[in-house]
Structures are given as structure tokens and as C-alpha cells.
Amino acid sequence: MIKNPPAPSGPGRPKDPAKREAILMAAQVLFLNNGYEGSSMDAIAAEAGVSKLTLYSHFKDKEALFGEAVKTTCETRLPRRLFVLEDGCEFRSVLLDIAHAFHELVISPESIGLHRVMVAMATQNPALSQMFFDAGPQKLLVDLEQMLDQARQRQLLNVPEPMRAAEHFCSLIKGVAHFRLLIGYAEQPDAADMKRHAEDCVDLFMRAYTREPLTVD
């Protein structure tokens, strides 16, 4: 009689998604409250309620955990479905949905706190700054670039350089309000102000990219 092989153990065992999520949530809390250097893997494991062995089975080191925490936050607040151009969709509505989601993300207390952490770390750990940018802002720019290129192909916008246009769009949405919040000079805007800001930015962006570019003789 042939017996079934025993279930794999150790590093080969399937990872528990619930524990991974708990680790990511704990990392976000501690990174924001204590900064990057002030958040040890021991403390993150304790906050998540897992062992260090479990923590390291999911993430090889603190930098990898930090990058994944940033990536997960962005994917949760700016899901890929926002950047899909369905047939017959109203392009302004698609841009508005992205504008609202991106604005809510960048002015959220979590995002403002993370930006402050990164500014504090900029001269100490440039590699971490690059990891942060690649996992968060750069990924958003690439998703937006690809969507704007699709809009160009469908002749919805006149976008000769989609990446530059993506950068323009994000800069418009962040605006001066983000900087005021970053330096603690202002309070969170209310829902009406956020709605008006997003609509103004989208309308300005579309006016700029739905006409032939100006040429200088």
C-alpha cells in the first residue's frame, strides 16, 4: 500500500497570506510612527503577532519589507482597474477617478508621514529612497503613462510624450496643498475642496492635451 508523502515543512511550506497581511500592516504602522531606522524587525514581528522566523520567511530583510509595504499601499489606494480604458468609456470620468484616488492618497496622514520619513532618510540611505520611488511613485507614473498612450492611440488626447504628461498630471494633483501638509502648515481639506481641486486639475489637463501643441517660430 502506497502512502501519501508527508506535507512539506520548513521553508517549503505555503506561506500564510493572513500573516503576510498582518506583517505589512504592522510595518506600515511602525515605519510611520518610529521612522525606518527606529523600526526593527523584532518590533515588527511583535506588532504583527508572528515569530521572527515567520517574518523572514515572507521578507528577506527590512528593505524588502519596506518596499513591499509601499507597493501594497499604492496598489490598495490606486488599484489597476482605475487605469483600464473600457470601450466606450468617458475619458474625463476615468481621469477624475484617478485624480480623486491619487489626491486622497497623497494628502492622507499615512502618505504625509511616509514622505517625511523619506525626506529624513534621503541623505542617509539613497538606496532606500530609490526603492521607495520605484515601488510607489514610479509604478503610478508607468501605469498612467500606459493609459495615456492608449488614449493617444484612440485619439482621445494629443499626448506626444505620455510619461511627461503623466508627470504633469501628478504634479497638478499634488499641488501646493501637499507641500503645506508636508511642512505642517495646513489641515486636511474638506470633501468639497478635494472634489473641486480634482475637477479643476482634470479640466486643465484635458484642455492642455486635447489641442495641437503650440509651436515657436
Side-chain angles (χ1 to χ4, degrees), residues 111-121 180-184:
S111 180
I112 294 298
L114 183 56
H115 275 75
R116 288 171 177 162
V117 169
M118 295 314 304
V119 170
M121 290 294 299
R180 287 196 181 110
L181 289 168
L182 197 60
I183 62 174

Side-chain angles (χ1 to χ4, degrees), residues 106-139:
V106 296
I107 68 169
S108 67
E110 296 82 7
S111 180
I112 294 298
L114 183 56
H115 275 75
R116 288 171 177 162
V117 169
M118 295 314 304
V119 170
M121 290 294 299
T123 58
Q124 303 174 37
N125 193 339
L128 187 68
S129 298
Q130 181 177 348
M131 177 181 291
F132 163 74
F133 190 84
D134 290 345
Q138 183 64 27
K139 186 175 182 302

Side-chain angles (χ1 to χ4, degrees), residues 29 38 75 89 94 96 135 140-141 147 157 161 213:
V29 169
E75 289 178 346
C89 67
V94 174
L96 267 178
L140 164 64
L141 286 171
M147 190 201 71
L157 286 181
E161 298 179 71

Side-chain angles (χ1 to χ4, degrees), residues 73 77-78 98-116 170-184 186-198:
T73 299
R77 302 292 289 269
L78 286 163
I98 296 172
H100 285 303
F102 179 55
H103 193 220
E104 288 179 1
L105 171 61
V106 296
I107 68 169
S108 67
E110 296 82 7
S111 180
I112 294 298
L114 183 56
H115 275 75
R116 288 171 177 162
C170 291
S171 296
L172 281 172
I173 299 300
K174 288 180 71 174
V176 72
H178 176 263
F179 184 68
R180 287 196 181 110
L181 289 168
L182 197 60
I183 62 174
E187 296 181 354
Q188 291 283 324
D190 60 27
D193 286 340
M194 292 174 64
K195 182 175 183 294
R196 180 181 177 184
H197 175 72

